[in-house]
Amino acid sequence: MKVGDWQKTYWEDENGNRTTIQDVLDELRSEPVITLEVRKLSGLGTVSIDLGRKENADLSYPIIVIEKDGQLESILDGHHRLQKALDEDRPYILAKVKRENKQSFTSEE
């Protein structure tokens, strides 16, 4: 994925059903933006971090975290923002929480 192509982000479930980033943003539109402790998110899985994307990451946009059964499980979107927050020793990051029960997501990032 190229910088600026975030609108092309999508995930597929085990059945090949595709969910786009716009679908997720629409679903979370009425969810509040909250702050989460950065250090508690650092172990929620990682993707390969492109240094240019990390440096250009805008921390004013919330990351999207998946919660299952009341537990934060993974980062759906915002890996580069989270890494930037970690590198800058920020205590908190803005986030929206996607509560998941059925469909599991695999990042295509």
Side-chain angles (χ1 to χ4, degrees), residues 88-100:
E88 293 179 357
D89 292 322
R90 292 181 180 237
Y92 299 98
I93 192 166
L94 298 175
K96 284 201 173 204
V97 177
K98 180 172 179 17
R99 288 163 183 83
E100 233 355 87

Side-chain angles (χ1 to χ4, degrees), residues 1 9-11 47-48 53 76-80 107-109:
M1 178 185 309
T9 301
Y10 67 90
W11 300 268
V47 297
S48 180
R53 286 185 67 196
L76 180 63
D77 185 64
H79 294 277
H80 290 87
S107 179
E108 297 293 325
E109 219 172 348

